[in-house]
Amino acid sequence: MPHVSEQAKNLTQPVPTHRLSKSRFLAGLQCAKRLYLEIHSPELATPPTPDRRAIMDMGTGVGVVARQYFPHGVLVEETHRQIPSALLRTSELVKDPAVSAIFEGAFVWQGILVRVDILERLDSTRWRLVEVKATSKVKATHLDDLAIQSAVLEGYGIEVAGCFLMHLNTQYSFLGGDLNLDEMFVLENMTEEVQARRPSIQAQLENMWNALREATPPTIAPDNHCYQPYECPFWDHCTKDKPRRWVFHLPGSSKLQTLLMEEGIETIDEIPDHIQLSSIQRRVKDNAEWISPLLRPRLQSVRYPVHHLDFETFMPAIPAFAHTRPYRPIPFQWSNHIEYPDGTVVHHHYLCTDGRDPREEVAMSLLESVGEAGTICVYSEYERFLLFALGDFLPQLKSALSNVVCRLWDLLSVIQQHYYHPDFHGSYSIKTVLPALVPTLAYDDLAIQNGAVAAVMYQKMVFLETDLMERAHIAQALHEYCGRDTWAMVELRRVLMNRVGSSLP
Ligand code: SF4
């Protein structure tokens, strides 16, 4: 096994021109151009959105909890800005037989630096490599991740006797009290799968080093590979010159998009008539407003007062409340705009503003708001799913919540089946549909503009933020966002009724 000085020397080995990390290695496997840009032109990347950052933070949080599974492990606390110290500290821990596991150990080999989530000492020479993922199953990219780590560890001189992936068991039901780590995590032995990948690594690295030595990035066209396994941060840069009706924006099968691009078809307008398209693809190609004759009766099928309901939820990887499972959505807020036959609209809303389990209050307050009369307009199947889940959790309210489900009326499905506007560009997301039909109303004036950010801000408000003013600001932003979703439905129904020449009863 190398000594500390050898580790430090590895950092400055002359062979590779650029030091890689395991995440850069994985970026290079996804796309050589992505790796090139990450090293030579990182300023061209789109910064991660708040929801993307929250997902990364959630992964970090799961990693911290996973360490409790190895109670005598020692953390290498030095950050990515303190790599020489991290290497030094890791080397000391490797040499200390009293250390049973190392968390975030830093190792370098052939210019590749890895931080290993967990390295467990099995005996005086052999170790077990454990990679922690906040996912529910093993993915191919996790095996590449383990393969590069095991290559670096063995190059360094560590005997890796096993490669394991530790991920969440989404069926684990938290009963309250201490987490049951044996049930919450699944430890899968991936040693054989990782070994099968190891022979390819040298050639993969050589390709990466060669590409990185070039004066310009590799010529690689953006397509579906830019989203697999992760969305590439250079997408905006790579597609900035694409036409507005680029064929990649055709909704539906990525196979068809790829085929069309391979045939040199650049825009949706150039798609030949003989190509078989789905009905939505045909509408996108026709690029014209379309109104089904059934839109009018569907819009008129509602019963007044019409409620317009939307929930906001968060989905913690580590269960936050008793009788929840990893990633199960917990509703913490709802908004209901109630429209009466004379056109007046009343707004009800609920938001849990502290860290207690909000589900019972969400259900009770909602039942009071929707009463027993009228259609309940929603914009997805999600509300149905949440109401059933609330009913399972609250048996005393199950029957009342089932009655609410029976009154749901899905505006999304009505629009999908009976209406199209060219500004939808193939998307029926309310964020696209609203500005297309109600140009004066959108989301870009709001502090919170999507549900993922709402979930992040709610968790910040109830679990982290101590400043009362800031908590009040967040609560206000959450009210405005959820309220916009339900007001949007009121306006969309009105605009659509105008389109078909209908009016309030
Ligand atoms: S957007 Fe696509 S083509 Fe461009 S660097 Fe990323 S993965 Fe490669």
Side-chain angles (χ1 to χ4, degrees):
M1 186 176 305
H3 295 293
V4 175
S5 57
E6 289 172 85
Q7 272 237 51
K9 198 170 70 180
N10 274 338
L11 266 175
T12 54
Q13 276 181 340
V15 181
T17 352
H18 303 276
R19 197 176 72 197
L20 290 182
S21 62
K22 70 169 186 169
S23 59
R24 282 183 169 166
F25 173 78
L26 295 174
L29 289 186
Q30 178 175 1
C31 175
K33 184 178 178 184
R34 174 176 176 173
L35 173 64
Y36 188 97
L37 293 176
E38 283 196 7
I39 300 246
H40 293 295
S41 308
E43 72 284 358
L44 297 177
T46 303
T49 55
D51 44 315
R52 178 75 204 133
R53 273 201 299 274
I55 291 171
M56 294 191 279
D57 290 347
M58 194 146 64
T60 307
V62 170
V64 170
V65 174
R67 289 177 202 152
Q68 296 170 20
Y69 202 83
F70 305 85
H72 303 295
V74 179
L75 174 66
V76 176
E77 293 186 13
E78 287 77 3
T79 69
H80 66 285
R81 297 183 193 283
Q82 302 165 306
I83 293 304
S85 308
L87 292 166
L88 186 62
R89 176 72 177 137
T90 303
S91 183
E92 289 166 357
L93 295 173
V94 166
K95 284 187 280 183
D96 182 350
V99 174
S100 60
I102 303 171
F103 306 140
E104 292 298 318
F107 300 89
V108 70
W109 168 74
Q110 288 203 357
I112 307 150
L113 172 78
V114 298
R115 298 295 295 257
V116 175
D117 285 344
I118 297 163
L119 191 61
E120 184 186 25
R121 192 189 300 271
L122 297 179
D123 56 34
S124 60
T125 57
R126 298 178 316 133
W127 297 76
R128 181 162 73 154
L129 164 62
V130 181
E131 172 69 12
V132 182
K133 293 292 180 197
T135 57
S136 60
K137 61 183 181 192
V138 179
K139 299 178 183 174
T141 188
H142 301 159
L143 301 176
D144 292 322
D145 193 334
L146 279 165
I148 188 66
Q149 292 185 65
S150 72
V152 171
L153 285 170
E154 290 189 0
Y156 172 84
I158 296 276
E159 186 182 341
V160 180
C163 296
F164 287 71
L165 205 292
M166 191 171 181
H167 62 83
L168 289 165
N169 167 21
T170 49
Q171 293 311 306
Y172 164 60
S173 180
F174 175 49
L175 300 176
D178 292 335
L179 292 165
N180 184 331
L181 299 181
D182 286 322
E183 287 187 13
M184 192 174 78
F185 284 109
V186 178
L187 199 55
E188 291 206 51
N189 188 343
M190 295 287 126
T191 309
E192 278 185 23
E193 291 83 347
V194 171
Q195 284 304 332
R197 275 169 152 76
R198 286 284 303 275
S200 314
I201 285 185
Q202 199 61 45
Q204 289 165 337
L205 283 171
E206 275 167 26
N207 287 340
M208 290 180 201
W209 296 129
N210 288 339
L212 287 171
R213 287 189 194 101
E214 296 293 326
T216 55
T219 305
I220 296 175
D223 59 22
N224 292 307
H225 84 279
C226 309
Y227 286 85
Q228 295 298 332
Y230 302 113
E231 185 177 337
C232 175
F234 297 100
W235 175 258
D236 288 349
H237 166 72
C238 287
T239 60
K240 64 181 184 306
D241 297 325
K242 293 293 178 192
R244 195 173 60 85
R245 280 171 58 79
W246 182 31
V247 76
F248 187 83
H249 297 316
L250 188 71
S253 157
S254 59
K255 263 194 203 155
L256 177 60
Q257 296 164 359
T258 307
L259 193 78
L260 293 169
M261 285 195 273
E262 282 171 2
E263 289 188 8
I265 295 168
E266 178 84 348
T267 69
I268 293 169
D269 304 303
E270 295 165 40
I271 299 173
D273 287 340
H274 69 267
I275 300 282
Q276 197 172 356
L277 300 176
S278 67
S279 56
I280 174 62
Q281 288 169 336
R282 179 61 57 192
R283 279 175 216 144
V284 173
K285 180 166 178 335
D286 291 348
N287 204 23
E289 186 179 46
W290 169 78
I291 302 175
S292 138
L294 293 177
L295 180 59
R296 184 187 168 106
R298 290 294 290 120
L299 290 170
Q300 290 177 331
S301 68
V302 297
R303 282 171 289 114
Y304 283 79
V306 182
H307 302 262
H308 301 79
L309 172 67
D310 183 55
F311 285 112
E312 296 307 325
T313 63
F314 79 118
M315 295 188 288
I318 306 292
F321 308 116
H323 307 292
T324 59
R325 301 173 196 270
Y327 290 120
R328 286 299 156 98
I330 312 283
F332 59 84
Q333 178 181 18
W334 57 257
S335 168
N336 180 18
H337 273 97
I338 309 164
E339 185 181 40
Y340 291 90
D342 65 357
T344 57
V345 177
V346 173
H347 186 213
H348 294 173
H349 55 93
Y350 168 83
L351 170 66
C352 181
T353 53
D354 59 37
R356 78 207 130 107
D357 186 342
R359 288 174 291 175
E360 185 162 2
E361 265 188 29
V362 160
M364 298 284 288
S365 56
L366 179 69
L367 287 171
E368 193 178 327
S369 173
V370 297
E372 297 193 348
T375 296
I376 301 172
C377 175
V378 291
Y379 201 85
S380 73
E381 281 288 305
Y382 195 46
E383 280 68 26
R384 181 182 304 272
F385 166 77
L386 290 172
L387 288 162
F388 278 132
L390 280 173
D392 289 341
F393 174 62
L394 302 162
Q396 72 279 20
L397 300 180
K398 194 177 180 78
S399 163
L401 290 165
S402 296
N403 290 338
V404 173
V405 169
C406 293
R407 292 161 56 197
L408 295 183
W409 184 89
D410 186 2
L411 179 59
L412 169 63
S413 117
V414 170
I415 297 179
Q416 278 175 328
Q417 290 171 37
H418 302 295
Y419 183 79
Y420 186 73
H421 188 286
D423 289 346
F424 289 180
H425 303 297
S427 166
Y428 287 96
S429 157
I430 199 165
K431 309 291 185 291
T432 310
V433 167
L434 181 63
L437 287 179
V438 191
T440 53
L441 199 59
Y443 287 82
D444 46 15
D445 60 320
L446 298 178
I448 293 174
Q449 297 180 7
N450 64 55
V453 175
V456 172
M457 296 311 286
Y458 161 75
Q459 291 176 85
K460 182 179 178 203
M461 176 177 72
V462 301
F463 297 127
L464 303 172
E465 187 60 62
T466 52
D467 184 307
L468 289 180
M469 286 291 285
E470 182 56 23
R471 287 168 62 111
H473 280 140
I474 295 173
Q476 181 62 24
L478 285 166
H479 278 307
E480 286 171 6
Y481 170 67
C482 195
R484 181 66 53 88
D485 269 342
T486 52
W487 180 245
M489 285 187 268
V490 175
E491 289 285 340
L492 285 172
R493 281 187 48 253
R494 287 177 172 177
V495 168
L496 289 170
M497 284 196 289
N498 277 335
R499 287 285 207 277
V500 296
S502 185
S503 58
L504 293 170

